[in-house]
Amino acid sequence: MTYAARPSVELLHGEARQVDPHAPFVIVMNAGSGRKRGEITADLLKHAFGRANRTYELLLVDDPSQLAATAQRAVELAVARGGAVVGAGGDGTLCAVAQAAIGSGCTFGVLPCGTFNYFSRDHGIPADTEQAIALLLTARAHPVQVGYVNDRMFLVNASLGLYPKMLEHREIYKRQFGRSRIVALCSAIAMLMRRHRHLRLHVDHEGTMQEIRTSTLFVANNRLQLEQVGAAEAPLLAQGLLVALAPRAIGRLAQIVLSLRGAISRMSDADNVTGFGFRRFTVTHPSKRRRRVKIAMDGEVMKMPMPLEFRVGETPLYLLKPEADVAALNRT
């Protein structure tokens, strides 16, 4: 099954916005990203904002269940003060804060503190905390694209099937061996060695219904992540589209080979992957039951009822980020 994208369809986000040089910041920091790192970040904020004579408020989240409520409170404070809201943590934390910020008129900033930091890296935001803080104080707000599954927003990716299981398995490994990319890789390899059931899904795209059998349906909104696995569809994101990837139903050995191709950026050479760009499509189960399925969104796993509608967000997120040429240099 192959769908052709529509190159002429572009998401018109608008122009970059200048930020008031005296605007205050409200910062939501996930304590789960590391207590010591949090203390270092808090100290850097105090010194950098003090030198710049900028006011800010730091809201620390110790309980992950309170993240969404804290993000909403931060946005309300930022809007009332005419300021910006900032997420400090991994992609899941950033997504929670961004979901509260989008459409509020509030500018959004990022201090990357996660393991992979795909969102910040894709937009050229420095991984170095001191440099990222300096960027908050000088950058303009640029409109960036977001994706949705039903009413839940994602910044980087959303998926169902094997990938959510891999994320849950990765969290078990992290609790035992710590947070690192090596731990994440070992966890993924161990998970791929297991036997997995394939999904049977009905996909409705542009009025055409197709049935697919796959281990994972993966929807991406991150050019860097797609380029890392060698997906040929990566340029479609610049056309206001999201990208869906679905490996065809294959055995464990073929699944491992396919994963290795992705690890060496050769996914585009594989014959077992269906990929397409889209603005909107719907996924249902052949039984038509409103069953609940596990969905992974920016590293966080939750259950959602089917049908699932994947779509490009109509409203952009205004992100404090480098200009295009500087962002390209910072991207790694």
Side-chain angles (χ1 to χ4, degrees):
M1 176 181 64
T2 302
Y3 296 125
R6 295 178 176 178
S8 61
V9 177
E10 296 186 3
L11 186 62
L12 300 180
H13 280 149
E15 300 295 327
R17 298 175 177 175
Q18 202 68 39
V19 178
D20 182 349
H22 304 292
F25 290 86
V26 183
I27 303 166
V28 179
M29 182 182 294
N30 183 3
S33 297
R35 177 66 63 180
K36 184 175 180 181
R37 184 167 186 174
E39 292 173 354
I40 293 172
T41 301
D43 191 54
L44 290 173
L45 284 167
K46 180 180 179 180
H47 285 85
F49 280 61
R51 288 194 304 268
N53 197 27
R54 296 287 289 275
T55 59
Y56 74 98
E57 182 173 350
L58 181 61
L59 305 180
L60 191 64
V61 180
D62 291 298
D63 181 357
S65 68
Q66 296 301 309
L67 179 57
T70 304
Q72 187 59 48
R73 177 181 163 221
V75 170
E76 291 170 358
L77 289 172
V79 170
R81 298 169 185 174
V85 67
V86 177
D91 288 326
T93 299
L94 303 187
C95 184
V97 180
Q99 173 129 15
I102 195 166
S104 68
C106 184
T107 297
F108 176 63
V110 168
L111 293 177
C113 303
T115 303
F116 292 99
N117 299 316
Y118 277 116
F119 179 72
S120 58
R121 290 164 61 202
D122 193 37
H123 291 288
I125 296 170
D128 179 82
T129 304
E130 195 167 2
Q131 293 178 19
I133 293 172
L135 177 66
L136 292 177
L137 296 167
T138 59
R140 293 196 299 164
H142 296 259
V144 299
Q145 175 177 288
V146 301
Y148 282 87
V149 182
N150 295 346
D151 62 344
R152 292 297 299 265
M153 190 183 81
F154 62 93
L155 299 176
V156 179
N157 61 55
S159 61
L160 63 153
L162 178 57
Y163 193 69
K165 294 179 183 178
M166 292 177 69
L167 290 180
E168 289 181 325
H169 196 250
R170 188 175 76 187
E171 288 305 310
I172 295 173
Y173 265 55
K174 284 182 177 180
R175 286 194 291 270
Q176 292 179 332
F177 305 111
R179 292 180 175 270
S180 73
R181 297 187 185 186
I182 294 297
V183 169
L185 177 61
C186 291
S187 168
I189 292 172
M191 192 65 181
L192 287 171
M193 296 298 294
R194 299 182 180 182
R195 185 179 299 276
H196 303 283
R197 294 177 60 185
H198 290 110
L199 301 171
R200 288 180 63 233
L201 302 171
H202 283 175
V203 175
D204 185 352
H205 178 261
E206 297 185 350
T208 301
M209 179 73 76
Q210 296 282 346
E211 180 173 299
I212 63 172
R213 293 187 69 244
T214 182
S215 58
T216 296
L217 177 62
F218 185 86
V219 175
N221 185 41
N222 189 274
R223 181 198 53 80
L224 176 64
Q225 193 172 45
L226 288 178
E227 288 182 349
Q228 281 188 344
V229 299
E233 295 81 7
L236 297 178
L237 295 175
Q239 299 175 21
L241 303 174
L242 298 173
V243 169
L245 298 175
R248 296 188 180 94
I250 52 180
R252 270 186 295 175
L253 180 58
Q255 181 74 56
I256 293 171
V257 171
L258 180 61
S259 300
L260 290 174
R261 283 183 177 274
I264 60 174
S265 302
R266 295 290 297 276
M267 188 72 79
S268 60
D269 294 346
D271 296 327
N272 292 318
V273 179
T274 295
F276 57 94
F278 68 93
R279 286 186 55 79
R280 184 186 302 265
F281 79 95
T282 303
V283 176
T284 57
H285 190 268
S287 68
K288 304 296 183 182
R289 290 183 300 165
R290 290 183 59 83
R291 58 184 295 177
R292 295 174 65 85
V293 294
K294 284 185 179 180
I295 301 288
M297 302 175 68
D298 293 345
E300 306 296 324
V301 179
M302 65 197 73
K303 282 193 173 183
M304 297 182 71
M306 298 187 85
L308 303 172
E309 182 186 60
F310 294 84
R311 60 184 174 87
V312 176
E314 296 177 359
T315 302
L317 179 69
Y318 277 87
L319 174 68
L320 293 169
K321 58 177 286 188
E323 303 302 318
D325 54 346
V326 178
L329 291 173
N330 288 343
R331 212 174 273 129
T332 56

